[in-house]
Amino acid sequence: MIWTTAVNNYSSQTGQSTLEFIVVSLVLVPLFLIVPLLGKYLDLAQTTQVASRYVAFEGAVHHSSSAAGWKTDAELAAEVRRRFYSRNDLSIKTGDVVSEIDSERNPLWVDHRADALLPDFNQVSVQTTKKSIATMFNGVTNMLDFSDDFNLPQDNLYSGSVSVQLANVAGLAPFDAIDLSMVRKTVVLVDPWAAKGPADISSKVKNSGIKTFPYQVLQVPASILEPVISVFEDGLGGASPPKIGRVDADVVPKDRVLQPYQ
């Protein structure tokens, strides 16, 4: 009698343990599947952020004043797909494009069924915009009044946006109908109105409009006064003829020169 009771208790405990294992498995198994998936999503988000920086900083090289000019969105999209969304160990080649084959995909970006999270590289798109630097001043354009006279570029704000549409994960709610899309954007200032040298500054001043510096207007009377002043130079205390439009960018005024300590 005692032996029969012990067997029944053991059977009930075994059944209870099996039930507890099943209940815990229903919680832990999805958790074990979701945690790695979230890590892969974070890696894709970081890659998209870096890709947007690449697109934006391309404007610092291929801007409106460069010899090559701006790159098109299609060209940048092809570069981004090849350099950021394919395998990390693939070599980078000029003009190369990524192929829709599994051997060129990132092996990390797969779900628990080994299905690619990015099955189509065409789901990676690039959009660039070029805006005037005046938008930074909220309509206050007094600081930019001289940009036209100096023939300075206006489309200085270059933004690069990269968007990625990921596939749903079949059989894993709620990721089976999430339609996850990642978008990252970076904005840089290109063509910062930096002069190539003193000659460039002097040229822009001389060729500017009347509003900035009336060089063309003052050049006529200056050419008349120059020989007169040259004749009476001694009587005028050694004053030299006016140099209209002269720009000495590398000359520091005497009152700005640090005097040696006595």
Side-chain angles (χ1 to χ4, degrees), residues 25 121 151 245:
S25 298
F121 287 109
N151 193 25

Side-chain angles (χ1 to χ4, degrees), residues 58-71 153 155 190-191 196:
E58 274 294 293
V61 180
H62 300 283
H63 51 77
S64 59
S65 299
S66 63
W70 299 101
K71 284 187 177 181
D155 50 349
V190 299
D191 286 348
K196 300 177 182 178

Side-chain angles (χ1 to χ4, degrees), residues 17-27:
S17 299
T18 303
L19 180 61
E20 291 175 353
F21 176 77
I22 293 174
V23 173
V24 172
S25 298
L26 293 176
V27 177

Side-chain angles (χ1 to χ4, degrees), residues 113-136:
R113 296 184 177 183
D115 294 333
L117 295 175
L118 184 61
D120 186 0
F121 287 109
N122 290 324
Q123 294 299 322
V124 178
S125 60
V126 171
Q127 183 180 12
T128 59
T129 58
K130 297 177 284 290
K131 296 183 179 180
S132 172
I133 192 175
T135 59
M136 296 180 60

Side-chain angles (χ1 to χ4, degrees), residues 91-163:
S91 59
I92 297 177
K93 301 178 182 179
T94 303
D96 196 9
V97 294
V98 68
S99 302
E100 295 287 349
I101 55 178
D102 293 338
S103 61
E104 293 195 5
R105 300 185 186 280
N106 191 321
L108 176 64
W109 297 337
V110 294
D111 59 17
H112 64 289
R113 296 184 177 183
D115 294 333
L117 295 175
L118 184 61
D120 186 0
F121 287 109
N122 290 324
Q123 294 299 322
V124 178
S125 60
V126 171
Q127 183 180 12
T128 59
T129 58
K130 297 177 284 290
K131 296 183 179 180
S132 172
I133 192 175
T135 59
M136 296 180 60
F137 301 98
N138 297 324
V140 181
T141 59
N142 292 332
M143 300 178 63
L144 306 175
D145 287 342
F146 304 131
S147 59
D148 292 337
D149 288 345
F150 284 131
N151 193 25
L152 299 174
Q154 291 294 315
D155 50 349
N156 291 21
L157 290 179
Y158 186 79
S159 64
S161 176
V162 178
S163 61

Side-chain angles (χ1 to χ4, degrees), residues 17 32 50-51 62 64 77 80 94 102 104 114 116 155 160-161 163 168 182 188 199 203 216 233 256:
S17 299
F32 290 150
V50 175
H62 300 283
S64 59
V80 164
T94 303
D102 293 338
E104 293 195 5
D155 50 349
S161 176
S163 61
N168 293 329
M182 297 180 179
V188 297
S203 176
Q216 303 294 339
E233 184 173 351
R256 302 298 179 89

